[in-house]
Amino acid sequence: MSTRSADGHGLLRGTPGHVGRGEAAGRGVAPDTDANSFALTLALLTSTAFLLFAQIFMVAPILPALAGDFGSTAGMVGLGVPAFLVPYGWTVLVWGTVSDRWGRRRVILISLCAFVILTAGTPLATNVGEFIALRFVTGVAAGGVVPISVALIGDLVPYRRRGRVLGWVFGGAAGGMAFGAAGGALGEQLVGWQGLFGVVAVGGLALLVLGLWLVPDTAAAPRPSSVRQVAAGFADLLSTSRGRRTYGYVLVNAVLHAGIYTWLGVYLHDHVQLDEAQIGLVLLGYGIPGLVLSPAIGRLADRYGRARVIPLGLALTAACAAVFASEPSLVFLQAAVVSLSLGYDMTQPALVVIVTDLPGQRGQAIGLNSCVLWVGMGVGSLVFQAILLPLGFSAAFAWFAGLSLLAGAVAIPLFRAERPAPGTRVSPAAPA
């Protein structure tokens, strides 16, 4: 597949993934044939994000079934969740650096292949120890798929149009989160937990075959970087005020959303007395805005600037947490779940677009973003729990509402420079 850009000169030259505002300003996918090919590539990357995030979030609802089969407790089997997420977050640092050296295509396909094999082997686990070990290794393998897909888009699409394109990928991820939670709760009753992992493996295999055709190649680095150069690259990403505030808000946003969302299932069970299937259907609403609206949100951010979108997203998150704190009726609660997803879709994708424009190696930039994101999610769950246990759900949601509102207010001056440059504003009718 061709990877020439709109100016006819191909991908960014030199070391792959080297980024910066001026360098990417006039590049994109070519019209006609290349644009059609890129549309298929984007559909593949979006589907892959959907599948991978669906399998992450389908585990929590099936913990009771896993515990029953393994003769263990839900708490012990539940260690399989962080066993996947922790290595997934940390090893992205390695995958990102390797993709700068080897090229994006090779890393994405190798990582996806390993993910498919390990997912297919998960139903063979006979005890909780084997299950946790398989989830750990799968987390290591999967870290090179979605994050490096984001880096690939950063290589191919100019910054001024990148928001809408990345919106499709993040929409797929958001949809996967919601459908994974609902599918885990509903699908386990139909095909068992082994069948769920089998379905994911088959879907992953189909995407891998398509990826051999659709994932474009990028140039490899002319020579490998030393450990010192890699470390210096990460330091350089944090050496600018733009880098520090962006990564800082990736962390803050992850803490806020993970803290609220992680405990929603328990909240729905304890305060609304919903069963597992009903909880899955309510949480399904969390992915609808991302699946449907992420490209449009990305286009608005491209057109009007991330200086406006990020604070508004945090304010919306604060409003949703305040609704949860009030213990509303089920109708208002469902509306708040949907709106909470919209708040995430207005913040995290916008922050990632900025990350793809930081100076340095794009693979490293995306790797650090994913690492910070997943660490923040783990911290957010723990922080919410620390407030929840002594004070209860209403107080915990109220605290997170206040923190979200404060973060949104602080974001207004911090991100005021994230506006389109004069003469580069994207037209509402402009193609992606």
Side-chain angles (χ1 to χ4, degrees):
M1 168 183 170
S2 174
T3 55
R4 295 178 65 81
S5 61
D7 58 7
H9 298 303
L11 297 176
L12 302 180
R13 290 174 177 172
T15 304
H18 187 76
V19 294
R21 279 183 182 270
E23 185 178 36
R27 297 186 179 274
V29 293
D32 305 327
T33 303
D34 281 358
N36 292 333
S37 298
F38 181 77
L40 293 175
T41 299
L42 181 59
L44 173 73
L45 299 180
T46 300
S47 300
T48 304
F50 178 94
L51 182 70
L52 194 140
F53 275 77
Q55 68 85 35
I56 291 175
F57 284 86
M58 79 179 187
V59 173
I62 64 175
L63 290 178
L66 289 165
D69 278 8
F70 294 146
S72 183
T73 65
M76 180 61 69
V77 180
L79 294 175
V81 175
F84 180 96
L85 295 180
V86 171
Y88 180 89
W90 283 103
T91 55
V92 169
L93 294 174
V94 177
W95 284 118
T97 303
V98 171
S99 76
D100 287 331
R101 174 69 186 96
W102 288 359
R104 315 294 184 214
R105 171 185 167 87
R106 188 183 303 181
V107 169
I108 291 171
L109 294 180
I110 289 175
S111 183
L112 182 56
C113 180
F115 168 75
V116 169
I117 293 171
L118 291 166
T119 301
T122 300
L124 302 178
T126 59
N127 57 64
V128 66
E130 292 178 0
F131 176 78
I132 292 174
L134 280 165
R135 293 303 290 165
F136 179 90
V137 179
T138 307
V140 172
V145 182
V146 177
I148 308 308
S149 298
V150 172
L152 176 64
I153 290 173
D155 291 342
L156 299 174
V157 181
Y159 181 77
R160 65 191 181 92
R161 300 192 190 279
R162 205 172 291 162
R164 185 191 181 209
V165 177
L166 283 176
W168 284 104
V169 177
F170 281 96
M177 292 167 64
F179 280 94
L186 301 174
E188 192 279 329
Q189 303 175 32
L190 299 176
V191 298
W193 68 267
Q194 297 94 337
L196 289 175
F197 281 99
V199 169
V200 171
V202 171
L205 179 60
L207 293 173
L208 177 61
V209 172
L210 291 173
L212 295 172
W213 171 48
L214 291 174
V215 177
D217 204 358
T218 56
R223 57 183 178 275
S225 301
S226 66
V227 174
R228 179 176 297 182
Q229 289 173 319
V230 170
F234 285 120
D236 287 344
L237 290 169
L238 299 173
S239 65
T240 65
S241 59
R242 191 184 190 211
R244 288 192 297 273
R245 69 171 173 259
T246 302
Y247 285 116
Y249 262 76
V250 169
L251 178 65
V252 168
N253 194 55
V255 168
L256 294 172
H257 276 272
I260 297 170
Y261 182 77
T262 300
W263 291 93
L264 275 180
V266 179
Y267 175 76
L268 292 171
H269 183 272
D270 291 352
H271 287 263
V272 193
Q273 286 76 51
L274 301 183
D275 59 30
E276 286 76 7
Q278 291 171 321
I279 291 171
L281 291 175
V282 171
L283 294 181
L284 182 63
Y286 186 81
I288 291 175
L291 193 61
V292 176
L293 299 177
S294 278
I297 295 170
R299 173 167 290 199
L300 288 173
D302 288 338
R303 177 167 173 78
Y304 297 107
R306 288 155 190 90
R308 300 178 180 179
V309 174
I310 293 172
L312 285 174
L314 287 163
L316 183 57
T317 300
C320 295
V323 170
F324 295 140
S326 69
E327 299 187 9
S329 66
L330 183 58
V331 172
F332 285 103
L333 197 152
Q334 179 70 82
V337 170
V338 174
S339 299
L340 180 66
S341 173
L342 184 60
Y344 184 83
D345 298 323
M346 294 172 69
T347 49
Q348 181 57 26
L351 291 166
V352 173
V353 171
I354 299 173
V355 167
T356 64
D357 195 51
L358 295 176
Q361 298 299 318
R362 186 173 284 120
Q364 282 189 281
I366 293 299
L368 183 58
N369 168 82
S370 295
C371 179
V372 171
L373 175 67
W374 290 105
V375 168
M377 286 187 171
V379 171
S381 177
L382 293 174
V383 170
F384 192 97
Q385 184 180 27
I387 302 173
L388 168 66
L389 292 179
L391 300 179
F393 271 108
S394 292
F397 283 127
W399 267 96
F400 270 66
L403 292 172
S404 299
L405 189 61
L406 176 62
V410 174
I412 295 174
L414 284 182
F415 290 93
R416 63 179 178 274
E418 299 294 339
R419 300 177 183 274
T424 63
R425 178 172 289 187
V426 177
S427 166

